[in-house]
């Protein structure tokens, strides 16, 4: 999951995303990366279909259940993407 890191805010999703998530993330101006769901991901404590907002420094900004929670985080912190 380190391959897509490029110094920008971005969203990672493990496994199959919920319908419409990729489009909504892109509309927010965020790069979207779908990563394979693996036993290693499960053992690391990652959750399927969660939206992992990765900060430019590579750390997690938030883990959201849906696009609404991601938008609420963005708005609460006054973030702009893209």
């Amino acid at each position: 999951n380190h391959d897509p890191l490029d110094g920008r805010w971005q969203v990672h999703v493990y496994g199959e995303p919920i319908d419409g998530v990729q489009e909504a993330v892109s509309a927010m101006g965020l790069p979207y990366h779908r990563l394979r769901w693996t036993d290693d991901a499960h053992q690391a404590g990652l959750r399927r279909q969660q939206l992992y907002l990765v900060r430019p420094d590579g750390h997690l900004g938030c883990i959201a259940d849906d696009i609404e929670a991601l938008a609420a985080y963005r708005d609460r912190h006054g973030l702009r993407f893209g």
Side-chain angles (χ1 to χ4, degrees):
N1 66 351
H2 292 99
D3 289 342
L5 298 179
D6 62 4
R8 297 182 295 165
W9 287 92
Q10 56 189 270
V11 171
H12 294 187
V13 174
Y14 291 84
E16 291 296 321
I18 297 169
D19 287 342
V21 164
Q22 182 174 357
E23 294 81 6
V25 166
S26 294
M28 291 175 74
L30 287 162
Y32 172 89
H33 301 281
R34 180 175 162 246
L35 303 162
R36 289 185 328 115
W37 180 251
T38 63
D39 287 337
D40 287 341
H42 176 74
Q43 290 176 359
L46 298 171
R47 293 177 24 202
R48 233 184 275 227
Q49 297 183 327
Q50 295 292 288
L51 305 176
Y52 291 90
L53 178 63
V54 182
R55 301 182 327 203
D57 63 6
H59 293 277
L60 287 179
C62 80
I63 301 170
D65 290 328
D66 53 38
I67 198 68
E68 291 81 11
L70 184 62
Y73 178 88
R74 175 202 61 200
D75 295 345
R76 184 171 52 253
H77 294 283
L79 300 172
R80 292 183 182 212
F81 310 116

Coordinates of all heavy atoms in Angstrom, one line a residue:
N1 N 0.8 -1.2 0.0 CA 0.0 0.0 0.0 C 0.9 1.3 0.0 O 0.3 2.4 0.0 CB -1.0 0.0 1.2 CG -0.3 0.1 2.5 OD1 0.9 -0.1 2.7 ND2 -1.2 0.2 3.5
H2 N 2.2 1.1 0.0 CA 3.0 2.3 -0.1 C 3.3 2.8 -1.5 O 3.7 3.9 -1.7 CB 4.4 2.0 0.6 CG 4.3 1.8 2.0 ND1 4.2 0.6 2.6 CD2 4.2 2.7 3.0 CE1 4.1 0.7 3.9 NE2 4.1 2.0 4.2
D3 N 3.0 2.0 -2.5 CA 3.3 2.3 -3.9 C 2.6 3.6 -4.3 O 3.2 4.4 -5.0 CB 2.9 1.2 -4.8 CG 3.9 0.0 -4.7 OD1 5.0 0.2 -4.2 OD2 3.5 -1.1 -5.1
P4 N 1.3 3.8 -4.0 CA 0.6 5.0 -4.5 C 1.0 6.3 -3.8 O 0.6 7.4 -4.2 CB -0.9 4.7 -4.3 CG -1.0 3.4 -3.6 CD 0.4 2.9 -3.3
L5 N 1.8 6.2 -2.7 CA 2.1 7.4 -2.0 C 2.9 8.4 -2.8 O 4.0 8.0 -3.3 CB 2.8 7.1 -0.7 CG 2.0 6.2 0.3 CD1 2.8 5.9 1.6 CD2 0.7 6.9 0.7
D6 N 2.4 9.6 -2.9 CA 3.1 10.6 -3.8 C 3.1 12.0 -3.2 O 3.3 13.0 -4.0 CB 2.5 10.6 -5.2 CG 1.1 11.0 -5.2 OD1 0.5 11.4 -4.2 OD2 0.5 10.9 -6.3
G7 N 2.9 12.1 -1.9 CA 2.9 13.4 -1.3 C 1.6 14.2 -1.4 O 1.6 15.4 -1.2
R8 N 0.6 13.6 -1.8 CA -0.7 14.2 -1.9 C -1.7 13.6 -1.0 O -1.6 12.4 -0.7 CB -1.3 14.2 -3.4 CG -0.5 14.9 -4.4 CD -1.1 14.8 -5.8 NE -1.2 13.4 -6.2 CZ -1.9 12.9 -7.2 NH1 -2.7 13.8 -7.9 NH2 -1.9 11.7 -7.6
W9 N -2.8 14.3 -0.6 CA -3.9 13.6 0.0 C -4.5 12.6 -1.0 O -4.5 12.9 -2.2 CB -5.0 14.7 0.3 CG -4.7 15.6 1.4 CD1 -4.1 16.8 1.3 CD2 -5.0 15.4 2.8 NE1 -4.0 17.4 2.5 CE2 -4.5 16.6 3.5 CE3 -5.5 14.4 3.6 CZ2 -4.6 16.7 4.9 CZ3 -5.6 14.6 4.9 CH2 -5.2 15.7 5.6
Q10 N -4.9 11.5 -0.4 CA -5.5 10.4 -1.3 C -6.3 9.5 -0.5 O -6.2 9.5 0.8 CB -4.4 9.7 -2.1 CG -3.4 9.1 -1.2 CD -2.2 8.5 -2.0 OE1 -2.2 7.4 -2.4 NE2 -1.2 9.4 -2.2
V11 N -7.2 8.7 -1.1 CA -8.0 7.7 -0.5 C -7.7 6.3 -0.9 O -7.5 6.1 -2.1 CB -9.5 8.0 -0.8 CG1 -10.4 6.9 -0.3 CG2 -9.9 9.3 -0.1
H12 N -7.5 5.4 0.1 CA -7.3 4.0 -0.2 C -8.5 3.3 0.3 O -9.0 3.5 1.3 CB -6.1 3.5 0.6 CG -4.8 4.1 0.1 ND1 -3.6 3.7 0.6 CD2 -4.5 5.1 -0.8 CE1 -2.6 4.3 0.0 NE2 -3.1 5.2 -0.8
V13 N -8.9 2.3 -0.5 CA -10.0 1.4 -0.2 C -9.5 0.0 -0.4 O -8.9 -0.3 -1.5 CB -11.3 1.6 -1.0 CG1 -12.3 0.6 -0.7 CG2 -11.8 3.0 -0.8
Y14 N -9.7 -0.9 0.6 CA -9.3 -2.3 0.5 C -10.5 -3.2 0.1 O -11.5 -3.1 0.8 CB -8.6 -2.8 1.8 CG -7.3 -2.2 2.0 CD1 -7.2 -0.9 2.6 CD2 -6.1 -2.8 1.6 CE1 -6.0 -0.3 2.8 CE2 -4.9 -2.2 1.8 CZ -4.8 -0.9 2.4 OH -3.6 -0.3 2.6
G15 N -10.4 -4.0 -0.9 CA -11.5 -4.8 -1.4 C -12.4 -4.0 -2.3 O -12.1 -2.9 -2.8
E16 N -13.6 -4.5 -2.5 CA -14.6 -3.9 -3.4 C -15.2 -2.7 -2.7 O -15.7 -2.8 -1.6 CB -15.7 -4.9 -3.7 CG -15.3 -6.1 -4.6 CD -14.9 -5.6 -6.0 OE1 -15.5 -4.7 -6.5 OE2 -13.9 -6.1 -6.5
P17 N -15.1 -1.5 -3.3 CA -15.7 -0.3 -2.7 C -17.2 -0.3 -2.8 O -17.8 -1.1 -3.7 CB -15.1 0.8 -3.6 CG -14.9 0.2 -4.9 CD -14.5 -1.3 -4.6
I18 N -17.9 0.4 -2.0 CA -19.3 0.6 -2.1 C -19.6 1.4 -3.4 O -18.8 2.3 -3.8 CB -19.8 1.4 -0.9 CG1 -19.5 0.6 0.4 CG2 -21.2 1.8 -1.0 CD1 -19.7 1.3 1.7
D19 N -20.7 1.1 -4.0 CA -21.1 1.8 -5.3 C -21.0 3.3 -5.1 O -21.5 3.9 -4.2 CB -22.5 1.4 -5.7 CG -22.6 -0.1 -6.2 OD1 -21.5 -0.6 -6.6 OD2 -23.7 -0.6 -6.3
G20 N -20.4 3.9 -6.1 CA -20.4 5.4 -6.2 C -19.3 6.0 -5.4 O -19.1 7.2 -5.6
V21 N -18.5 5.3 -4.6 CA -17.5 5.9 -3.8 C -16.4 6.4 -4.7 O -15.9 7.5 -4.4 CB -17.0 4.8 -2.8 CG1 -15.6 5.3 -2.2 CG2 -18.0 4.6 -1.7
Q22 N -15.9 5.7 -5.7 CA -14.8 6.2 -6.5 C -15.2 7.5 -7.1 O -14.4 8.4 -7.2 CB -14.4 5.1 -7.5 CG -13.2 5.6 -8.4 CD -12.7 4.5 -9.3 OE1 -13.2 3.4 -9.4 NE2 -11.8 4.8 -10.1
E23 N -16.4 7.6 -7.7 CA -16.8 8.8 -8.3 C -16.9 10.0 -7.3 O -16.5 11.1 -7.6 CB -18.1 8.6 -9.0 CG -18.1 7.6 -10.2 CD -18.1 6.2 -9.7 OE1 -18.3 5.9 -8.5 OE2 -18.0 5.3 -10.6
A24 N -17.4 9.7 -6.1 CA -17.5 10.7 -5.1 C -16.2 11.2 -4.6 O -16.0 12.4 -4.4 CB -18.4 10.2 -4.0
V25 N -15.2 10.3 -4.5 CA -13.9 10.6 -4.0 C -13.2 11.5 -5.1 O -12.6 12.5 -4.8 CB -13.1 9.4 -3.7 CG1 -11.6 9.7 -3.6 CG2 -13.6 8.7 -2.4
S26 N -13.4 11.1 -6.3 CA -12.8 11.9 -7.4 C -13.4 13.3 -7.5 O -12.7 14.2 -7.8 CB -12.9 11.1 -8.8 OG -12.2 9.9 -8.7
A27 N -14.7 13.4 -7.3 CA -15.4 14.7 -7.3 C -14.9 15.6 -6.2 O -14.9 16.8 -6.4 CB -16.9 14.5 -7.2
M28 N -14.3 15.0 -5.1 CA -13.8 15.8 -4.0 C -12.3 16.3 -4.4 O -11.7 17.0 -3.7 CB -13.7 15.0 -2.8 CG -15.1 14.7 -2.2 SD -15.0 13.6 -0.7 CE -14.3 14.8 0.5
G29 N -11.8 15.8 -5.5 CA -10.5 16.2 -5.9 C -9.4 15.3 -5.4 O -8.2 15.7 -5.3
L30 N -9.7 14.1 -4.9 CA -8.8 13.2 -4.3 C -8.4 12.0 -5.2 O -9.3 11.4 -5.8 CB -9.4 12.6 -3.0 CG -9.5 13.5 -1.8 CD1 -10.5 13.0 -0.8 CD2 -8.1 13.7 -1.2
P31 N -7.2 11.7 -5.3 CA -6.8 10.4 -6.0 C -7.4 9.2 -5.2 O -7.5 9.2 -4.0 CB -5.3 10.4 -5.9 CG -4.9 11.8 -5.7 CD -6.0 12.4 -4.9
Y32 N -7.8 8.2 -6.0 CA -8.5 7.1 -5.4 C -7.7 5.8 -5.7 O -7.3 5.6 -6.9 CB -9.9 7.0 -6.0 CG -10.6 5.7 -5.6 CD1 -11.4 5.6 -4.5 CD2 -10.5 4.6 -6.5 CE1 -12.1 4.5 -4.2 CE2 -11.2 3.4 -6.1 CZ -12.0 3.4 -5.0 OH -12.6 2.2 -4.7
H33 N -7.4 5.0 -4.7 CA -6.6 3.8 -5.0 C -7.4 2.6 -4.3 O -7.6 2.6 -3.1 CB -5.2 3.9 -4.4 CG -4.4 5.0 -4.9 ND1 -3.8 4.9 -6.2 CD2 -4.1 6.2 -4.5 CE1 -3.2 6.0 -6.4 NE2 -3.4 6.9 -5.4
R34 N -7.8 1.7 -5.2 CA -8.4 0.4 -4.7 C -7.3 -0.6 -4.6 O -6.5 -0.9 -5.5 CB -9.4 -0.1 -5.7 CG -10.1 -1.3 -5.2 CD -11.2 -1.8 -6.1 NE -11.5 -3.1 -5.9 CZ -11.3 -4.1 -6.7 NH1 -10.8 -3.9 -7.9 NH2 -11.5 -5.4 -6.4
L35 N -7.2 -1.2 -3.4 CA -6.1 -2.2 -3.1 C -6.8 -3.5 -2.8 O -7.9 -3.6 -2.3 CB -5.3 -1.7 -1.9 CG -4.7 -0.3 -2.1 CD1 -4.2 0.3 -0.8 CD2 -3.5 -0.4 -3.1
R36 N -6.0 -4.5 -3.1 CA -6.6 -5.9 -2.9 C -6.8 -6.2 -1.4 O -6.0 -5.8 -0.6 CB -5.6 -6.9 -3.5 CG -5.5 -7.0 -5.0 CD -4.6 -8.1 -5.6 NE -3.5 -8.5 -4.7 CZ -3.4 -9.6 -4.2 NH1 -4.3 -10.6 -4.3 NH2 -2.3 -9.9 -3.4
W37 N -7.8 -6.9 -1.2 CA -8.1 -7.4 0.2 C -7.3 -8.7 0.4 O -7.5 -9.6 -0.4 CB -9.6 -7.6 0.4 CG -9.8 -8.1 1.8 CD1 -10.2 -9.4 2.2 CD2 -9.7 -7.4 3.0 NE1 -10.3 -9.4 3.6 CE2 -10.0 -8.2 4.1 CE3 -9.3 -6.1 3.3 CZ2 -9.9 -7.8 5.4 CZ3 -9.3 -5.7 4.6 CH2 -9.6 -6.5 5.7
T38 N -6.4 -8.7 1.4 CA -5.6 -9.9 1.6 C -5.6 -10.3 3.0 O -6.1 -9.5 3.9 CB -4.1 -9.6 1.2 OG1 -3.6 -8.6 2.1 CG2 -4.0 -9.2 -0.3
D39 N -5.2 -11.5 3.3 CA -5.0 -11.9 4.7 C -4.1 -11.0 5.5 O -4.4 -10.7 6.7 CB -4.5 -13.4 4.8 CG -5.5 -14.4 4.4 OD1 -6.7 -14.1 4.4 OD2 -5.1 -15.5 4.0
D40 N -3.1 -10.5 4.9 CA -2.2 -9.6 5.5 C -2.9 -8.3 5.9 O -2.7 -7.7 7.0 CB -1.0 -9.2 4.6 CG 0.0 -10.4 4.5 OD1 0.0 -11.3 5.4 OD2 0.8 -10.4 3.6
A41 N -3.8 -7.8 5.0 CA -4.5 -6.6 5.3 C -5.4 -6.8 6.5 O -5.5 -6.0 7.4 CB -5.3 -6.1 4.1
H42 N -6.1 -8.0 6.5 CA -7.0 -8.3 7.6 C -6.2 -8.4 8.9 O -6.6 -7.9 10.0 CB -7.7 -9.6 7.3 CG -8.5 -10.1 8.4 ND1 -9.7 -9.6 8.8 CD2 -8.3 -11.1 9.3 CE1 -10.2 -10.2 9.8 NE2 -9.4 -11.2 10.2
Q43 N -5.0 -9.1 8.9 CA -4.2 -9.3 10.1 C -3.6 -8.0 10.6 O -3.4 -7.8 11.8 CB -3.1 -10.3 9.8 CG -3.6 -11.7 9.7 CD -2.6 -12.7 9.3 OE1 -1.4 -12.4 9.2 NE2 -3.0 -14.0 9.2
A44 N -3.5 -7.0 9.7 CA -3.0 -5.7 10.1 C -4.0 -4.8 10.7 O -3.8 -3.7 11.2 CB -2.4 -5.0 8.9
G45 N -5.3 -5.3 10.7 CA -6.4 -4.6 11.3 C -7.1 -3.7 10.4 O -8.0 -2.9 10.8
L46 N -6.8 -3.7 9.1 CA -7.6 -3.0 8.1 C -8.9 -3.5 7.9 O -9.2 -4.7 8.2 CB -6.8 -2.9 6.8 CG -5.4 -2.3 6.8 CD1 -4.7 -2.5 5.5 CD2 -5.5 -0.8 7.2
R47 N -9.9 -2.7 7.5 CA -11.2 -3.1 7.3 C -11.6 -3.0 5.8 O -11.3 -1.9 5.2 CB -12.2 -2.4 8.2 CG -11.9 -2.7 9.7 CD -12.7 -2.0 10.7 NE -13.9 -1.5 10.3 CZ -14.6 -0.5 11.0 NH1 -14.0 0.0 12.0 NH2 -15.7 -0.1 10.6
R48 N -12.3 -4.0 5.4 CA -12.8 -3.9 4.0 C -13.8 -2.8 3.8 O -14.6 -2.5 4.7 CB -13.6 -5.2 3.7 CG -13.1 -6.0 2.5 CD -14.0 -7.2 2.3 NE -13.5 -8.3 3.1 CZ -13.3 -9.5 2.6 NH1 -13.6 -9.8 1.4 NH2 -12.9 -10.4 3.4
Q49 N -13.7 -2.1 2.6 CA -14.6 -1.1 2.2 C -14.5 0.2 3.0 O -15.3 1.2 2.7 CB -16.1 -1.5 2.2 CG -16.3 -2.7 1.2 CD -17.8 -3.1 1.2 OE1 -18.5 -3.0 2.2 NE2 -18.2 -3.5 0.0
Q50 N -13.6 0.4 3.9 CA -13.4 1.6 4.6 C -12.7 2.6 3.7 O -11.9 2.2 2.9 CB -12.6 1.4 5.9 CG -13.3 0.5 6.9 CD -14.5 1.2 7.5 OE1 -14.4 2.2 8.3 NE2 -15.7 0.8 7.1
L51 N -12.9 3.9 3.9 CA -12.2 4.9 3.2 C -11.1 5.4 4.1 O -11.3 6.0 5.1 CB -13.1 6.1 2.8 CG -14.4 5.7 2.1 CD1 -15.3 6.9 1.9 CD2 -14.1 5.1 0.8
Y52 N -9.9 5.1 3.7 CA -8.7 5.5 4.4 C -8.1 6.8 3.7 O -7.6 6.7 2.6 CB -7.6 4.4 4.4 CG -8.0 3.2 5.2 CD1 -8.7 2.2 4.6 CD2 -7.7 3.1 6.6 CE1 -9.1 1.1 5.4 CE2 -8.0 2.0 7.3 CZ -8.7 1.0 6.7 OH -9.1 -0.1 7.5
L53 N -8.3 7.9 4.4 CA -7.8 9.2 3.9 C -6.3 9.3 4.3 O -6.0 9.4 5.5 CB -8.6 10.4 4.4 CG -8.1 11.7 4.0 CD1 -8.2 11.9 2.5 CD2 -8.9 12.8 4.7
V54 N -5.4 9.3 3.4 CA -4.0 9.3 3.6 C -3.5 10.7 3.4 O -3.7 11.3 2.4 CB -3.2 8.3 2.7 CG1 -1.7 8.3 3.0 CG2 -3.8 6.9 2.8
R55 N -2.8 11.3 4.4 CA -2.3 12.6 4.4 C -1.0 12.7 3.5 O -0.5 11.6 3.1 CB -1.9 13.1 5.8 CG -3.0 13.1 6.7 CD -2.6 13.6 8.1 NE -1.3 13.3 8.5 CZ -0.8 13.3 9.8 NH1 -1.7 13.5 10.8 NH2 0.4 13.1 10.1
P56 N -0.6 13.8 3.0 CA 0.6 14.0 2.2 C 1.8 13.4 2.9 O 2.7 12.9 2.1 CB 0.7 15.5 2.0 CG -0.7 16.0 2.1 CD -1.3 15.1 3.2
D57 N 1.9 13.3 4.2 CA 3.1 12.8 4.8 C 3.0 11.2 5.0 O 3.9 10.6 5.6 CB 3.3 13.4 6.2 CG 2.2 13.2 7.2 OD1 1.2 12.4 6.9 OD2 2.2 13.8 8.3
G58 N 1.9 10.6 4.5 CA 1.8 9.2 4.5 C 1.0 8.6 5.7 O 0.7 7.4 5.7
H59 N 0.7 9.5 6.7 CA -0.1 9.0 7.8 C -1.5 9.1 7.5 O -2.0 9.9 6.6 CB 0.3 9.9 9.0 CG 1.7 9.7 9.5 ND1 2.1 8.7 10.3 CD2 2.8 10.4 9.3 CE1 3.4 8.7 10.6 NE2 3.8 9.8 9.9
L60 N -2.4 8.4 8.3 CA -3.8 8.5 8.1 C -4.4 9.7 8.7 O -4.1 10.1 9.8 CB -4.5 7.3 8.8 CG -4.3 5.9 8.1 CD1 -5.0 4.8 8.9 CD2 -4.8 6.0 6.7
G61 N -5.2 10.4 7.9 CA -6.0 11.5 8.4 C -7.3 11.1 9.1 O -7.6 11.5 10.2
C62 N -7.9 10.1 8.4 CA -9.1 9.5 9.0 C -9.5 8.2 8.3 O -9.0 7.9 7.2 CB -10.3 10.5 9.0 SG -11.2 10.6 7.4
I63 N -10.3 7.5 9.0 CA -10.9 6.3 8.5 C -12.4 6.5 8.5 O -13.0 6.7 9.5 CB -10.5 5.0 9.3 CG1 -9.0 4.9 9.4 CG2 -11.2 3.8 8.7 CD1 -8.5 3.8 10.3
A64 N -13.0 6.5 7.3 CA -14.4 6.8 7.2 C -15.2 5.6 6.7 O -14.8 4.8 5.9 CB -14.6 8.0 6.2
D65 N -16.5 5.5 7.2 CA -17.4 4.4 6.8 C -18.0 4.7 5.4 O -18.4 3.8 4.7 CB -18.5 4.2 7.8 CG -18.0 3.6 9.1 OD1 -17.0 2.8 9.1 OD2 -18.6 3.9 10.1
D66 N -18.1 6.0 5.1 CA -18.8 6.4 3.8 C -18.3 7.8 3.4 O -17.6 8.4 4.1 CB -20.3 6.3 4.0 CG -20.8 7.1 5.2 OD1 -20.2 8.2 5.5 OD2 -21.7 6.7 5.9
I67 N -18.8 8.2 2.3 CA -18.3 9.4 1.7 C -18.8 10.6 2.5 O -18.1 11.6 2.6 CB -18.8 9.6 0.2 CG1 -18.0 10.7 -0.5 CG2 -20.2 9.8 0.1 CD1 -16.5 10.4 -0.7
E68 N -20.0 10.5 3.2 CA -20.5 11.6 4.0 C -19.5 11.8 5.2 O -19.3 13.0 5.6 CB -21.9 11.3 4.5 CG -22.9 11.3 3.4 CD -23.0 10.0 2.6 OE1 -22.4 9.0 2.9 OE2 -23.7 10.1 1.5
A69 N -19.0 10.7 5.8 CA -18.1 10.9 6.9 C -16.8 11.5 6.5 O -16.2 12.3 7.2 CB -17.9 9.5 7.6
L70 N -16.3 11.1 5.3 CA -15.1 11.7 4.7 C -15.3 13.2 4.5 O -14.5 14.0 4.8 CB -14.7 11.0 3.4 CG -13.4 11.4 2.8 CD1 -12.2 11.2 3.7 CD2 -13.3 10.7 1.5
A71 N -16.5 13.6 3.9 CA -16.8 15.0 3.6 C -16.9 15.8 5.0 O -16.4 16.9 5.0 CB -18.0 15.1 2.8
A72 N -17.4 15.2 6.0 CA -17.5 15.8 7.3 C -16.2 16.1 7.9 O -15.9 17.2 8.4 CB -18.4 15.0 8.3
Y73 N -15.2 15.2 7.7 CA -13.9 15.4 8.2 C -13.2 16.5 7.4 O -12.6 17.4 8.0 CB -13.1 14.1 8.0 CG -11.6 14.2 8.4 CD1 -11.2 13.9 9.7 CD2 -10.6 14.5 7.5 CE1 -9.9 14.1 10.1 CE2 -9.3 14.6 7.9 CZ -8.9 14.4 9.2 OH -7.6 14.5 9.5
R74 N -13.4 16.5 6.1 CA -12.8 17.6 5.3 C -13.3 19.0 5.7 O -12.6 19.9 5.9 CB -13.2 17.3 3.8 CG -12.8 18.4 2.9 CD -13.6 18.4 1.6 NE -15.0 18.6 1.9 CZ -16.0 18.3 1.1 NH1 -15.7 17.8 -0.1 NH2 -17.2 18.5 1.4
D75 N -14.6 19.0 5.9 CA -15.3 20.3 6.3 C -14.9 20.7 7.7 O -14.6 21.9 7.9 CB -16.8 20.2 6.2 CG -17.3 20.0 4.8 OD1 -16.5 20.2 3.8 OD2 -18.4 19.5 4.6
R76 N -14.8 19.8 8.6 CA -14.5 20.1 10.0 C -13.0 20.7 10.1 O -12.8 21.6 10.9 CB -14.6 18.9 10.9 CG -14.3 19.0 12.3 CD -14.7 17.8 13.2 NE -14.1 16.6 12.7 CZ -14.8 15.6 12.1 NH1 -16.1 15.7 11.9 NH2 -14.2 14.5 11.8
H77 N -12.2 20.2 9.2 CA -10.8 20.7 9.3 C -10.4 21.7 8.2 O -9.3 22.1 8.1 CB -9.8 19.5 9.2 CG -9.9 18.5 10.3 ND1 -9.4 18.8 11.6 CD2 -10.6 17.4 10.5 CE1 -9.6 17.8 12.4 NE2 -10.4 17.0 11.8
G78 N -11.4 22.1 7.4 CA -11.2 23.1 6.4 C -10.2 22.7 5.3 O -9.5 23.6 4.8
L79 N -10.2 21.5 5.0 CA -9.3 20.9 4.0 C -9.8 21.2 2.6 O -11.0 21.2 2.3 CB -9.1 19.4 4.2 CG -8.6 19.0 5.6 CD1 -8.6 17.5 5.7 CD2 -7.1 19.6 5.7
R80 N -8.8 21.4 1.7 CA -9.1 21.5 0.2 C -8.2 20.5 -0.5 O -7.0 20.4 -0.2 CB -8.9 22.9 -0.3 CG -9.8 23.9 0.3 CD -9.6 25.2 -0.3 NE -10.5 26.1 0.3 CZ -11.0 27.2 -0.3 NH1 -10.6 27.5 -1.5 NH2 -11.8 28.0 0.3
F81 N -8.8 19.7 -1.4 CA -8.1 18.7 -2.1 C -8.1 19.1 -3.6 O -9.0 19.7 -4.1 CB -8.7 17.3 -2.0 CG -9.0 17.0 -0.5 CD1 -10.2 16.7 -0.1 CD2 -7.9 16.8 0.3 CE1 -10.5 16.4 1.2 CE2 -8.1 16.4 1.7 CZ -9.4 16.2 2.1
G82 N -7.1 18.7 -4.3 CA -7.0 18.8 -5.8 C -6.8 20.2 -6.2 O -6.9 21.2 -6.3

